[in-house]
């Protein structure tokens, strides 16, 4: 068994709590579905947001999901690099798995697809 990191990112159009929570939930659901794991397989989830997301903690969305109540969550600010993608939520899900690194599916949604077009392309090809 290995501890693997699964990356994911998404964006929101507005700094509004409901939109942030919905986007975070959608991203985590997509990561879970693409990688086939259960909450008890998770070591922790590290969440970062760009400095223009202040309406709520994205971790709130995860804490309300059934089975995720005991998963350690941590929110932080993303490094504020000039001209970086605005209104972006990133997840690093650390999971215990027997999968190899190459079997892990990283997920990028909405405008965040621009962050890693190489991974988006690989994910799309694997889904075919």
């Amino acid at each position: 068994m290995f501890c693997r990191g699964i990356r994911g990112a998404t964006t929101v159009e507005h700094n509004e709590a409901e939109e942030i929570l919905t986007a975070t939930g959608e991203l985590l659901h997509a990561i879970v579905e693409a990688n086939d794991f259960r909450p008890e397989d998770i070591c922790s989830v590290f969440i970062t947001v760009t400095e223009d997301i202040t309406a709520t903690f994205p971790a709130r969305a995860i804490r309300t999901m059934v089975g995720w109540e005991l998963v350690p969550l941590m929110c932080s600010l993303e490094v504020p690099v000039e001209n970086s993608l605005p209104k972006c939520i990133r997840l690093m899900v650390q999971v215990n798995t027997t999968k190899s690194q190459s079997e892990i599916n990283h997920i990028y949604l909405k405008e965040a697809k621009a962050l890693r077009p190489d991974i988006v392309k690989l994910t799309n090809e694997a889904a075919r």
Side-chain angles (χ1 to χ4, degrees):
M1 179 109 16
F2 302 98
C3 183
R4 302 280 186 211
I6 305 172
R7 289 290 316 261
T10 191
T11 55
V12 293
E13 291 185 26
H14 306 97
N15 181 31
E16 296 174 354
E18 282 308 310
E19 187 177 353
I20 293 164
L21 297 174
T22 298
T24 303
E26 288 172 351
L27 178 58
L28 186 58
H29 284 296
I31 290 171
V32 168
E33 185 174 304
N35 291 283
D36 190 35
F37 60 80
R38 302 167 312 211
E40 58 263 19
D41 299 328
I42 305 301
C43 300
S44 62
V45 180
F46 188 64
I47 307 155
T48 65
V49 295
T50 49
E51 58 189 347
D52 48 6
I53 295 179
T54 60
T56 191
F57 292 102
R60 284 183 51 215
I62 300 170
R63 285 190 192 105
T64 63
M65 294 169 58
V66 174
W68 288 80
E69 302 88 353
L70 299 177
V71 174
L73 307 172
M74 176 70 68
C75 290
S76 182
L77 280 176
E78 187 68 31
V79 177
V81 175
E82 289 182 25
N83 301 313
S84 62
L85 184 64
K87 295 187 180 73
C88 186
I89 302 165
R90 292 174 172 89
L91 301 182
M92 172 70 75
V93 180
Q94 296 179 309
V95 59
N96 292 310
T97 183
T98 57
K99 292 183 180 185
S100 68
Q101 194 75 350
S102 64
E103 293 174 294
I104 298 297
N105 296 301
H106 306 278
I107 304 297
Y108 292 83
L109 304 175
K110 301 178 186 172
E111 299 301 316
K113 290 178 181 179
L115 295 172
R116 292 298 304 267
D118 56 326
I119 290 177
V120 172
K121 181 181 177 188
L122 286 174
T123 303
N124 290 341
E125 288 173 359
R128 290 184 193 154

